DNA sequence: CTAAATTCAATTGTGCACAATTTAAAATGG
DNA sequence: CCATTTTAAATTGTGCACAATTGAATTTAG
């Protein structure tokens, strides 16, 4: 009987465990497919997807600390330090200790870092057209996702 | 003038580049926050999130190949081979070549792999309650995400 | 039947993510 | 003023992701 419920031919599936019914799996796989769609465009600029997100933040607010960058991206220094070092090596930004508080490291875009913004100008619209959804659905999805993210972030803060 | 548009104090932001307006970033960060919410529950079972997803597939269809598993999870052998080896070491599954086609490797759950399903029974409902969204919004979000994923997957197939 | 093409898994190498720890600097409290 | 605590970044170690390549088995075409 135990064997019976484990048989792959048995259609009596555990509804709650069906992979394709899990919201978490939709998020996980859609996020990766989205990144995959960015890849060919970002490759031309010699950027990875997390590096591109980092530039989005810096184009908004140049000269912020690693900490502040991490708060925007939900990433910690363990991820950001090596990523920023690679971007520094590529000549996109500089990392220097804050003179008034030596614990902090300030990230500043180089000329090259600034100019990449113009080379990236076509990317956002190119992606939205490839998503293949109506503006209405995309707007609703975005709003729902934003609220979900806020809830998930709060829930994780409560954990610690 | 060029300097002016790059000044962090200038509120004239490039609408299309604002991080918090990017659907891709919502997906990316929500997926990671969701995984973070699973972590304490999965830790009790000594599982990572991708390993849990792998078990979801195998609980549905035991005895499938690495290829088929990858098609369900949108992952390739480069990711799955080491992951499955770790799960084999933990005694959750076995990996054996298909006798009728030696190219294929068949993944079969062990007794321990099967029994983890009962230990995981509380996880799906625990997560849905922590998402903190109404069933209506969650259902809509799930449906929209599923359609988006399908489109993104198609778009990526066209790329190759 | 066999040479070429295809398929499948494994391997190699790079770049994230993230928990946990370490190091140094700054803030706080007695 | 100095010991304690807190904060910020870096470091260490593990486990994904994924592109690119390799190697072996199978399929296909001539």
């Amino acid at each position: 009987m135990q064997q019976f419920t484990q048989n792959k031919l048995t259609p009596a599936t555990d509804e709650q465990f069906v992979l394709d019914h899990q919201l978490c799996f939709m998020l996980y796989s859609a996020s990766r497919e989205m990144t995959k769609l960015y890849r060919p465009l970002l490759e031309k600029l010699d950027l990875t997807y997390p590096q591109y997100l980092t530039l989005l933040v810096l184009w908004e607010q140049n000269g912020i600390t690693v900490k502040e960058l991490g708060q925007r991206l939900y990433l910690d220094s363990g991820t950001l330090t090596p990523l920023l070092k690679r971007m520094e090596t590529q000549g996109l930004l500089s990392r220097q200790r804050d003179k008034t508080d030596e614990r902090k490291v300030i990230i500043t875009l180089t000329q090259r870092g600034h100019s990449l913004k113009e080379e990236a100008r076509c990317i956002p619209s190119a992606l939205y057209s490839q998503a293949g959804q109506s503006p209405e659905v995309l707007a609703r999805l975005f709003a729902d996702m934003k609220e979900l993210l806020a809830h998930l972030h709060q829930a994780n803060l409560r954990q610690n």
Side-chain angles (χ1 to χ4, degrees), chain A:
Chain A
M1 188 51 100
Q2 177 75 350
Q3 289 305 319
F4 185 72
T5 60
Q6 290 167 3
N7 192 307
K8 68 182 283 195
L9 298 177
T10 306
T13 55
D14 264 284
E15 185 50 38
Q16 65 167 345
F17 281 133
V18 174
L19 179 72
D20 293 335
H21 296 179
Q22 310 279 327
L23 178 60
C24 65
F25 177 63
M26 291 299 127
L27 292 173
Y28 167 77
S29 43
S31 173
R32 285 167 39 235
E33 292 294 312
M34 182 67 93
T35 303
K36 225 172 275 182
L37 213 49
Y38 271 91
R39 208 180 309 276
L41 299 173
L42 295 178
E43 240 164 34
K44 293 175 188 165
L45 309 183
D46 248 303
L47 291 175
T48 65
Y49 181 69
Q51 288 168 8
Y52 172 68
L53 294 181
T54 299
L55 285 179
L56 288 185
V57 175
L58 292 170
W59 289 333
E60 271 183 61
Q61 316 174 254
N62 195 11
I64 60 176
T65 65
V66 173
K67 175 83 175 177
E68 291 166 327
L69 189 55
Q71 285 168 343
R72 291 294 305 276
L73 296 173
Y74 305 96
L75 290 172
D76 66 7
S77 67
T79 301
L80 288 175
T81 296
L83 180 148
L84 293 168
K85 281 182 178 175
R86 281 187 287 271
M87 292 179 77
E88 184 179 39
T89 301
Q90 288 195 248
L92 300 177
L93 50 82
S94 73
R95 303 158 57 247
Q96 46 203 333
R97 291 277 164 184
D98 185 341
K99 298 290 181 206
T100 70
D101 185 344
E102 291 278 346
R103 290 172 304 183
K104 300 179 181 173
V105 167
I106 295 175
I107 308 299
T108 314
L109 287 173
T110 61
Q111 202 53 240
R112 174 97 189 102
H114 279 300
S115 63
L116 261 191
K117 185 173 182 176
E118 295 318 311
E119 298 183 44
R121 188 149 302 276
C122 58
I123 292 182
S125 58
L127 257 290
Y128 265 83
S129 64
Q130 280 192 81
Q133 300 287 66
S134 70
E136 294 75 26
V137 171
L138 282 178
R140 182 177 68 197
L141 187 49
F142 179 84
D144 286 344
M145 285 295 304
K146 191 169 178 172
E147 214 190 321
L148 177 68
L149 173 57
H151 275 281
L152 293 173
H153 187 57
Q154 281 307 309
N156 278 318
L157 290 182
R158 274 193 293 275
Q159 298 274 334
N160 316 327

